[in-house]
Amino acid sequence: DAKTTQPPSMDCAEGRAANLPCNHSTISGNEYVYWYRQIHSQGPQYIIHGLKNNETNEMASLIITEDRKSSTLILPHATLRDTAVYYCIVRGRNTDKLIFGTGTRLQVFP
Amino acid sequence: EAGVTQFPSHSVIEKGQTVTLRCDPISGHDNLYWYRRVMGKEIKFLLHFVKESKQDESGMPNNRFLAERTGGTYSTLKVQPAELEDSGVYFCASSQELKGGGIYGYTFGSGTRLTVV
């Protein structure tokens, strides 16, 4: 079973920041938080991952709380192309499986 | 760099027939994974190859599914005989170890949509 909980859906206006929350209260010390997204009819796409520090790349920022029990994926300027299902996944260093939950369906509107 | 390629993109077969799905990973990626999403369910792990060896096949649903990766390059996933509940989207992914080992992100293909009628 997935170790994360996410809201089933969110809306965001184009050009605004999209903030997608994720709870992972049972995360252990050697587990990373990964984010993937799936745009309709495509395979999942890696976005970002982190352990305890905040991370930023060209796609997004990942904010992890100090107790590591939750995180937020931030898309700073959402576009219509960011409409997708976003998956937050907890994964151990020595584990290769990704356990997908139901994700958050983000709808970006004009 | 070419991405992960899967074919066919769609396949419609009758119950009891055999279907073979193919995945070409990114060149040089030793790790290859199969996942699938059946109707209304989450994406589920099937198995993991490291080069030509099966590292983890704990997600394979039953012995009607056979995955191979001869020579450590492309992989095939055969379903024989196919059943109605096998309908879904089958994804392949590949990855490369980061220098120093540890965590890496996967690159997924676009999937094969299998419909068993």
Side-chain angles (χ1 to χ4, degrees):
Chain A
D1 290 345
K3 297 182 66 173
T4 62
T5 55
Q6 300 176 250
S9 64
M10 294 183 65
D11 290 339
C12 179
E14 188 177 20
R16 303 297 294 269
N19 297 283
L20 291 90
C22 179
N23 288 321
H24 31 79
S25 59
T26 61
I27 193 169
S28 60
N30 67 348
E31 290 181 317
Y32 286 70
V33 179
Y34 275 73
W35 283 83
Y36 282 77
R37 72 180 182 183
Q38 187 177 21
I39 297 170
H40 182 60
S41 298
Q42 298 181 22
Q45 177 189 24
Y46 166 79
I47 301 173
I48 198 167
H49 75 276
L51 182 62
K52 55 182 179 181
N53 297 320
N54 298 337
E55 302 288 340
T56 295
N57 63 21
E58 64 278 3
M59 290 182 68
S61 295
L62 174 61
I63 308 297
I64 302 174
T65 58
E66 192 169 343
D67 64 7
R68 301 187 68 239
K69 292 185 177 182
S70 66
S71 61
T72 301
L73 178 75
I74 301 172
L75 308 179
H77 306 287
T79 71
L80 299 179
R81 288 191 296 259
D82 292 321
T83 293
V85 179
Y86 287 77
Y87 297 97
C88 171
I89 299 169
V90 166
R91 179 185 163 200
R93 174 180 284 276
N94 297 317
T95 302
D96 289 298
K97 293 180 197 178
L98 296 177
I99 301 176
F100 287 83
T102 53
T104 296
R105 182 172 297 277
L106 175 69
Q107 179 69 53
V108 181
F109 58 91
Chain B
E1 159 180 274
V4 176
T5 304
Q6 293 186 246
F7 49 93
S9 57
H10 294 83
S11 180
V12 180
I13 62 170
E14 293 184 349
K15 177 182 172 180
Q17 289 186 323
T18 297
V19 63
T20 300
L21 314 181
R22 172 166 169 153
C23 170
D24 285 71
I26 292 173
S27 177
H29 280 194
D30 288 339
N31 296 282
L32 187 149
Y33 311 83
W34 286 97
Y35 285 76
R36 75 170 181 176
R37 182 204 296 274
V38 295
M39 185 67 71
K41 301 289 183 63
E42 292 88 32
I43 299 171
K44 296 287 190 183
F45 168 83
L46 295 179
L47 88 160
H48 169 208
F49 284 100
V50 178
K51 296 184 180 179
E52 67 275 11
S53 300
K54 292 176 185 175
Q55 183 77 12
D56 181 354
E57 53 184 327
S58 61
M60 294 289 266
N62 52 60
N63 60 9
R64 295 186 294 103
F65 289 76
L66 175 65
E68 295 180 321
R69 192 183 182 196
T70 306
T73 54
Y74 70 91
S75 174
T76 58
L77 180 64
K78 179 189 289 188
V79 185
Q80 179 182 29
E83 299 290 344
L84 298 178
E85 63 264 24
D86 300 330
S87 295
V89 183
Y90 290 75
F91 295 104
C92 176
S94 72
S95 71
Q96 183 178 35
E97 290 285 350
L98 293 174
K99 288 184 180 178
I103 299 295
Y104 43 84
Y106 298 4
T107 301
F108 280 82
S110 295
T112 294
R113 181 173 295 278
L114 175 65
T115 303
V116 183
V117 297

